[in-house]
Amino acid sequence: MPTTTPALADIRRKIENRARISPDEAHILWREASDDELRALATQVRARFHSPASCTYMLMRIINYTNVCVAQCDYCAFYKLPGQEGGYVLSQQQVFAKLDELLALGGDLAGFNGGFNPHLPLDYYCDLFSAIRDRYGDKLEFYALTIAEFMYLADHANLDYLAAAERLKTAGVRWITGGGSEILTEDFRRRHSKFKYTVAEYFQAQRALVDAGLRTSATMVIGFDETVEERIAHLERTRKFQDELIAAGKGDALASFLCWTYKPYFTQLGGIEIATGEYLRHLALSRIYLDNIPRIRTSVLTQNERALEGLLYGADDFDLPIEDEVTQLAGATISLNFDRLLATARTLGFTPTYRHVATGWNQPASPQLPSS
Ligand code: SF4
């Protein structure tokens, strides 16, 4: 591997010695490392957690139970304001039909993602999730909401985050994903989603979820107008939060990181999509930086077949989605040709294994966390 600068050589040595890199060093890596260097370093870190040719996947759908939302993020093509034509809320029967279809296709993971709907009380969610658990038991798992929606419904119900999390847990919920994080800097949120909670509130809610015994994930979206510094600040905050969980003996509560890319079509913010090459470099940087999170997931939803190249840049896991209205309305296209997608992973030298819910779907290949 060629050395381009002494600083880069030092960083490479640190990574090889399993030492942690700083935000400044991440910046140098981003600026100075070639694609091949980033890829090789990310592959080294990946190998701490997973055997080199292994990767895992799930077949899943996102169920957009309502598109009514008051948050008005300028990067969103999905929402309708209350009272606006086209707003909807799915009934339990409509949700069951979607879950039945998922099971028939061989999938067993659903994620719920809607909006900040002021007309939906906490009981709507509790009734829905307990009905799903009653009907399907452990045949499938579901990510009930994103943290951002969870925060809104807790506020709307006048409950603190811990109390709201406990209510959902009693209804059969086990997971709330880290969605709604996008870029975790206050300035980014002021620019694009000022009604979507501060970074401090986001982590306060995520901590309450974990304290209530729920599990969660780390997420990120790139490709808006965020700076490299903002991307690295997001990674730093994510790593620090996971450090705190590990120190509290709760590191298993956050086992994965998923980054996807902004789809700009039909949004107020607009713009053009970033190149896949930039996404892959960011995946590699994330794998290197997040040395305390075992599973790094690459986004087939927003990068299609090329997302599989992420396996060469430090990712070890991916979803094969069959639906997500939020990203589809902003330009994402979904392929149901799962055989072709899996064949692509194989062509790249990986053996994809389905993480079936019924067989310990959330166990990373190597659950040992690094000591540094
Ligand atoms: S991204 Fe989510 S919170 Fe923001 S406007 Fe769209 S649905 Fe609402």
Side-chain angles (χ1 to χ4, degrees):
M1 196 187 301
T3 299
T4 49
T5 66
L8 195 53
D10 283 349
I11 294 167
R12 187 186 308 139
R13 256 192 305 278
K14 276 183 97 167
I15 295 167
E16 284 165 358
N17 292 327
R18 296 183 168 227
R20 184 165 266 193
I21 64 166
S22 69
D24 285 346
E25 289 166 333
H27 205 281
I28 293 169
L29 259 187
W30 181 261
R31 231 178 25 235
E32 298 184 12
S34 67
D35 291 356
D36 285 348
E37 281 171 317
L38 268 180
R39 177 175 149 162
L41 291 169
T43 299
Q44 276 186 35
V45 180
R46 184 192 198 273
R48 297 179 198 165
F49 301 96
H50 308 276
S51 58
S54 72
C55 67
T56 47
Y57 72 99
M58 296 187 84
L59 202 158
M60 63 91 72
R61 87 183 303 158
I62 295 177
I63 297 179
N64 307 108
Y65 59 93
T66 182
N67 63 348
V68 176
C69 186
V70 294
Q72 302 173 72
C73 309
D74 69 3
Y75 46 75
C76 179
F78 167 68
Y79 75 91
K80 301 286 182 194
L81 290 170
Q84 192 179 347
E85 194 181 342
Y88 69 78
V89 176
L90 295 187
S91 67
Q92 285 189 8
Q93 291 310 316
Q94 287 172 307
V95 170
F96 292 161
K98 285 178 181 288
L99 292 173
D100 289 346
E101 186 185 39
L102 174 69
L103 285 168
L105 281 167
D108 52 8
L109 176 67
F112 286 85
N113 183 206
F116 294 6
N117 186 335
H119 300 309
L120 291 184
L122 183 60
D123 281 349
Y124 166 87
Y125 300 93
C126 292
D127 292 350
L128 175 65
F129 297 138
S130 63
I132 292 170
R133 195 58 85 193
D134 285 350
R135 185 178 159 107
Y136 298 97
D138 290 329
K139 261 202 300 195
L140 56 77
E141 191 50 85
F142 59 92
Y143 293 140
L145 311 174
T146 61
I147 287 179
E149 294 159 271
F150 164 75
M151 294 163 83
Y152 180 77
L153 78 91
D155 284 352
H156 202 53
N158 281 322
L159 292 173
D160 64 37
Y161 297 140
L162 188 60
E166 282 166 350
R167 286 281 296 278
L168 289 172
K169 190 178 175 199
T170 303
V173 169
R174 295 170 184 157
W175 287 84
I176 304 269
T177 69
S181 61
E182 282 86 28
I183 295 289
L184 286 169
T185 70
E186 302 300 1
D187 195 46
F188 178 88
R189 299 176 100 71
R190 266 193 300 275
R191 295 201 302 276
H192 300 298
S193 55
K194 55 180 176 290
F195 302 120
K196 208 167 178 180
Y197 301 100
T198 65
V199 176
E201 288 165 337
Y202 176 92
F203 283 118
Q204 193 191 342
Q206 196 165 33
R207 187 60 202 247
L209 292 170
V210 172
D211 288 345
L214 298 179
R215 304 187 79 178
T216 187
S217 62
T219 63
M220 179 172 193
V221 190
I222 61 168
F224 308 94
D225 61 355
E226 78 283 355
T227 61
V228 173
E229 285 78 7
E230 284 183 309
R231 289 183 189 174
I232 293 171
H234 183 114
L235 294 177
E236 168 63 15
R237 283 164 188 175
T238 301
R239 188 172 76 179
K240 189 162 173 285
F241 179 72
Q242 175 72 330
D243 277 347
E244 288 164 10
L245 293 185
I246 291 171
K250 296 175 178 174
D252 281 355
L254 193 159
S256 73
F257 170 81
L258 169 64
C259 179
W260 65 95
T261 49
Y262 167 56
K263 291 287 179 180
Y265 310 110
F266 314 107
T267 66
Q268 186 192 333
L269 177 62
I272 53 172
E273 292 186 61
I274 61 168
T276 297
E278 182 174 347
Y279 174 66
L280 296 174
R281 283 179 64 84
H282 181 73
L283 264 188
L285 187 69
S286 302
R287 173 63 287 175
I288 294 163
Y289 204 86
L290 300 175
D291 57 5
N292 54 5
I293 297 182
R295 179 170 286 136
I296 302 292
R297 300 160 69 205
T298 182
S299 171
V300 173
L301 178 63
T302 57
Q303 290 294 319
N304 303 100
E305 207 169 327
R306 289 212 61 194
L308 281 318
E309 292 172 46
L311 299 169
L312 299 169
Y313 285 78
D316 57 275
D317 187 82
F318 56 93
D319 288 332
L320 297 179
I322 64 170
E323 179 186 29
D324 175 34
E325 209 183 322
V326 175
T327 47
Q328 286 175 286
L329 283 173
T333 54
I334 286 178
S335 167
L336 299 185
N337 192 341
F338 310 131
D339 287 344
R340 182 185 160 127
L341 290 161
L342 294 172
T344 300
R346 288 190 196 98
T347 303
L348 292 169
F350 295 89
T351 306
T353 306
Y354 196 109
R355 288 196 285 135
H356 285 288
V357 165
T359 54
W361 68 295
N362 196 45
Q363 296 307 312
S366 166
Q368 243 180 1
L369 295 173
S371 53
S372 58

